[in-house]
Amino acid sequence: MTVAMGKFQSKKPGQKKAPGKAGQRYWKNVGLGFKTPKEAIEGTYIDKKCPFTGDISIRGRILSGIVKSTKMNKTIIVRRNYVHYIKKYARYEKRHSNLAVHVSPCFRVNEGDIVIVGQCRPLSKTVRFNVLRVIPKGQKAGKKGFSAF
């Protein structure tokens, strides 16, 4: 039986590198203008689904929303508000959708925070997005525009 060697398996039984020691921690820049958090570079956590220290690539859509629930382990629920046009009445109605999003241990996320998420491969039955940036509840997003209802 052969086993594929990945970043998380040592090549020889005697060669184990502890994360965070002597600059041996693996981290990367996900691109798209998102900075790698300092906690991802200097931290000691291990999360294979983290876009900064794991094997996940961000591709596809970049979305933002408000954190609705943080009750799961390493997963949050993000609410996205939008308006839908009704042609018959020439008016808009408010709608929303919920996303299940993986959050890396390098982020501290609370309910009400605004998060920017990026699409990745399916991580579980419902999770297809990863947190890339957290904007705390009190701060404003950098640009004017469509605010939450």
Side-chain angles (χ1 to χ4, degrees):
M1 181 175 128
T2 60
V3 177
M5 298 305 287
K7 285 185 196 78
F8 307 106
Q9 297 173 340
S10 61
K11 292 179 178 139
K12 294 180 185 174
Q15 289 183 335
K16 280 203 169 186
K17 293 182 180 176
K21 287 193 176 177
Q24 298 296 328
R25 183 167 174 80
Y26 171 80
W27 61 274
K28 65 181 179 183
N29 183 1
V30 297
L32 305 169
F34 293 99
K35 290 184 179 178
T36 304
K38 191 179 289 186
E39 177 66 26
I41 298 169
E42 298 172 358
T44 58
Y45 70 89
I46 297 173
D47 183 14
K48 66 181 184 178
K49 296 179 181 179
C50 174
F52 305 105
T53 61
D55 221 5
I56 300 297
S57 61
I58 301 297
R59 78 288 188 280
R61 296 187 179 271
I62 305 293
L63 306 173
S64 66
I66 300 170
V67 178
K68 184 177 175 185
S69 170
T70 58
K71 295 175 184 174
M72 290 180 276
N73 183 24
K74 295 185 183 176
T75 306
I76 59 174
I77 300 296
V78 175
R79 180 182 170 121
R80 299 196 63 238
N81 295 317
Y82 61 97
V83 291
H84 178 252
Y85 184 70
I86 307 295
K87 198 186 326 184
K88 179 179 178 182
Y89 300 109
R91 284 169 172 75
Y92 293 93
E93 68 179 4
K94 294 178 189 176
R95 290 189 177 183
H96 80 274
S97 61
N98 290 334
L99 286 175
V101 179
H102 179 79
V103 59
S104 172
C106 66
F107 292 114
R108 301 287 173 254
V109 180
N110 297 314
E111 290 185 21
D113 291 350
I114 297 171
V115 292
I116 298 174
V117 300
Q119 189 176 8
C120 58
R121 66 172 175 82
L123 302 176
S124 70
K125 181 181 174 183
T126 58
V127 178
R128 276 103 175 95
F129 288 87
N130 232 310
V131 173
L132 298 176
R133 183 180 297 152
V134 177
I135 302 165
K137 190 175 184 179
Q139 296 180 359
K140 295 260 184 183
K143 52 191 171 187
K144 284 185 177 178
F146 193 68
S147 63
F149 297 109

